Amino acid sequence: MELLVKKAQRGDAEAFIALIEENKQSMYKVARGFLKNDEDIADAIAETVLDCYEKIRTLRECSYFKTWMIRILINNCKDLLRQRKGDVSMETAPETADPKQKDQEDLQSFRELVSPLKEKDQSIFTLYYVYGLKIKEIAACMEMKENTVTSRLKRGRETLRREITTAH
């Protein structure tokens, strides 16, 4: 991947397209964790691709391309949520009859489970448990220290454990 990044930084459009193709599934999963409808997801991904294309020369460490791109995507998703704050609730998923409905229902169930947590902690839990990002990647994406991510995961687990035991 580093070779593709270096080519893309030198202006090779085909290398950039290959990088996006290689990471499009991860981008979709992360965006879906923040946004509820496919139009918003597509908007956030399109904005991210454009941002990455325009700014790829600023990437210092080629091996961090994916982390860098995901951080831009998360920021774009948050911007979109802020813009649509009155229109779209973070807690409601649209009813759809498409094949992805089971995944959406599972994701909605997960969101309900982590709803007692602060919004930032919910994002960390989603990136960690749903999308399988490593603590190091989450720290880079969320622009925080790895120890902070670890602490938030630990405290969040304790909060959820208390919530579950008091509910039963």
Side-chain angles (χ1 to χ4, degrees), residues 35-166:
L35 306 169
K36 305 302 174 265
N37 68 53
D38 286 334
E39 293 86 19
D40 287 346
I41 292 168
D43 287 348
I45 291 173
E47 187 67 29
T48 300
V49 170
L50 182 62
D51 290 346
C52 288
Y53 185 75
E54 290 173 347
K55 298 173 184 174
I56 194 161
R57 286 183 179 89
T58 66
L59 178 64
R60 292 185 208 121
E61 194 62 44
C62 294
S63 61
Y64 289 115
F65 174 79
K66 183 176 180 180
T67 303
W68 174 75
M69 178 192 62
I70 295 295
R71 180 177 30 200
I72 292 171
L73 176 61
I74 289 170
N75 289 336
N76 286 336
C77 288
K78 287 180 177 180
D79 288 345
L80 197 58
L81 284 171
R82 275 190 289 271
Q83 290 170 4
R84 302 191 197 288
K85 193 166 189 155
D87 301 339
V88 179
S89 168
M90 183 103 177
E91 301 303 317
T92 59
E95 291 296 321
T96 59
D98 64 57
K100 299 174 199 162
Q101 187 168 358
K102 172 90 170 86
D103 287 343
Q104 289 175 348
E105 289 170 0
D106 291 345
L107 186 58
Q108 183 62 26
S109 295
F110 181 81
R111 282 195 185 106
E112 288 171 13
L113 176 69
V114 299
S115 65
L117 303 176
K118 295 177 186 170
E119 188 175 327
K120 194 170 241 182
D121 293 344
Q122 289 177 21
S123 298
I124 291 169
F125 266 66
T126 302
L127 292 171
Y128 187 78
Y129 287 108
V130 177
Y131 302 113
L133 267 65
K134 295 179 177 85
I135 289 173
K136 184 176 186 174
E137 293 172 318
I138 295 169
C141 291
M142 303 291 287
E143 297 179 332
M144 55 179 62
K145 295 178 181 177
E146 289 179 43
N147 287 340
T148 304
V149 173
T150 304
S151 297
R152 286 177 181 248
L153 283 169
K154 182 180 179 192
R155 272 186 301 216
R157 285 185 204 108
E158 291 168 1
T159 299
L160 294 176
R161 190 174 296 117
R162 279 193 306 273
E163 287 284 328
I164 291 169
T165 55
T166 58

